[in-house]
Amino acid sequence: MTEPAVKYHLKKKEKHTGARLGTLETPHGTFPTPMFMPVGTQATVKAISPRELKEMGAGIILSNTYHLWLRPGEELVAEAGGLHHFMNWDQGILTDSGGFQVFSLAQMRDITEKGVHFKSHLDGRNLFLSPEKAIAVENALGADIIMSFDECPPFFESYDYIKKSVERTSRWAERGLKAHKHPDRQALFGIVQGGGHKDLRELSAKALVSLDFPGYSIGGLSVGESKAEMNHVLDFTTPLLPENKPRYLMGVGSPDALIDGVIRGVDMFDCVLPTRIARNGTCMTSHGRVVIKNAVYAHDFNPLDDNCDCYVCQNYTRAYLRHLFKAQETLGLRLASYHNLYFLLHLMKQIRQAIADDNLLDFREQFFEEYGYNKQ
Ligand SMILES: Nc1cc(CSc2ncc[nH]2)c2nc(N)[nH]c(=O)c2c1
Ligand SMILES: [Zn+2]
């Protein structure tokens, strides 16, 4: 029996919630959990260099199988020695399997038992992605953690559709497990689906746990349902997963969703939000969102966030950042991206401390009040 590529060590359970403190041991380092993973869809976290990512304490970052398969192609990345060498990132990398991106990006053609036929969003070419092909691409890219090929059905699809989709996704997961060439150095996670239905989440989790994956992702969420609905699904989904394996909530999220996910036993998160909103000048701060292009900041010579010790908040003012965005200067989106990523990475650090101190609910109350969530 080969040693799994990734090992989760549960260090402590928070006294009053389902939150846990742990470490995730990977071939490219051991990282504390709960953790936030910056997204670098096309082998780059947009506008931020690996050196800056390290400086801000990023551990594992994400890339996308779908995008890198289409461009530059997994063969070229393999020729470079894999993603870590290609993008000069020597910490952790996780790749999503492409299923989600096909449904969200490509012009859909057809979903069959075998796989998914679709047209490339780049040039309209007819393409086909199967569990075997997705795993082969992820094996070639060489990420430390890779995802099973799954279907993420719309949250409000019919019960029957979601049930059939869960059953097919479980069969796809088993096919992916069989096709996986490097379980010793790449950990393949199963992805739990089932929409908002407790029995379908149980059906999905049961099938995947019986296949004994080294880690489990919770998919099918953060796809337009309310935060209350997402939290409700987490309430009955995380307990279905083994305590000694990492749990990754895909595509999440905003500060409140991160805190509420940790409280429900989630260990890993990723979201494009921090870098995406930064590109139009929306910044997360301890006092809530700051839309830096607003005229109110024109003469505001304070830091973006007076509680933040990041490079941006130590060296630049709101007035300067507003000027950069008004002048459409690239440095503006770079600095806003840097701060937003730092903000979420630092939030996870505060959450880990709150778990250690058994006061995560107090931390939640203070953070929500200061951020302005209680006013919403
Ligand atoms: N919300 C959401 C987000 C993502 C993308 S996670 C990601 N990939 C690259 C960056 N981030 C999902 N991915 C898969 N495979 N399945 C899902 O159900 C799912 C759900
Ligand atoms: Zn900052």
Side-chain angles (χ1 to χ4, degrees), residues 284-285 303-314 335 338-340 342-343:
M284 301 174 190
T285 81
L304 188 53
D305 184 345
D306 54 1
N307 291 318
C308 181
D309 60 355
C310 88
Y311 164 70
V312 178
C313 297
Q314 298 301 306
L335 295 177
Y338 186 106
H339 164 81
N340 280 357
Y342 185 96
F343 182 83

Side-chain angles (χ1 to χ4, degrees), residues 39 41 62-64 96-101 147-148 150-152 191-193 218-223 248 250-252 270-272:
V39 172
T41 300
L62 264 79
S63 256
N64 262 337
D96 196 5
S97 52
F100 184 79
Q101 288 74 34
M147 293 300 118
S148 296
D150 64 327
E151 181 191 7
C152 171
I191 304 181
V192 176
Q193 293 290 351
I218 300 169
L221 291 175
S222 190
V223 286
Y248 160 34
M250 305 187 86
V252 173
D270 91 278
C271 195
V272 292

Side-chain angles (χ1 to χ4, degrees), residues 78-249:
E79 193 185 331
L83 259 181
H84 290 87
H85 293 285
F86 189 50
M87 67 187 289
N88 184 33
W89 176 249
D90 63 3
Q91 305 289 295
I93 299 180
L94 182 154
T95 48
D96 196 5
S97 52
F100 184 79
Q101 288 74 34
V102 167
F103 301 124
S104 54
L105 265 178
Q107 287 156 283
M108 276 301 302
R109 283 266 309 281
D110 193 17
I111 310 179
T112 66
E113 181 63 27
K114 194 103 182 56
V116 185
H117 298 269
F118 62 97
K119 283 181 176 302
S120 160
H121 74 290
L122 294 178
D123 59 16
R125 272 182 307 149
N126 289 326
L127 295 169
F128 176 70
L129 200 49
S130 65
E132 290 79 9
K133 179 62 183 169
I135 296 298
V137 175
E138 291 186 275
N139 282 162
L141 296 174
D144 303 289
I145 301 173
I146 64 176
M147 293 300 118
S148 296
F149 187 69
D150 64 327
E151 181 191 7
C152 171
F155 191 79
F156 299 102
E157 251 301 350
S158 72
Y159 177 89
D160 289 344
Y161 183 90
I162 295 178
K163 185 166 191 290
K164 285 201 174 21
S165 171
V166 162
E167 289 161 345
R168 182 171 49 205
T169 284
S170 300
R171 293 192 294 271
W172 283 357
E174 188 161 16
R175 284 169 48 190
L177 210 49
K178 289 195 177 93
H180 184 19
K181 281 197 300 216
H182 309 300
D184 56 316
R185 62 175 191 268
Q186 294 181 279
L188 174 59
F189 281 21
I191 304 181
V192 176
Q193 293 290 351
H197 307 283
K198 188 169 189 298
D199 61 332
L200 298 184
R201 287 281 172 184
E202 285 165 351
L203 179 71
S204 179
K206 210 158 164 309
L208 297 177
V209 171
S210 71
L211 294 168
D212 192 23
F213 284 97
Y216 296 91
S217 304
I218 300 169
L221 291 175
S222 190
V223 286
E225 78 285 358
S226 71
K227 287 202 176 133
E229 274 164 329
M230 176 159 74
N231 287 334
H232 177 58
V233 172
L234 290 176
D235 283 337
F236 57 70
T237 301
T238 46
L240 302 170
L241 302 173
E243 222 183 40
N244 65 332
K245 300 282 180 69
R247 300 140 178 192
Y248 160 34
L249 177 55

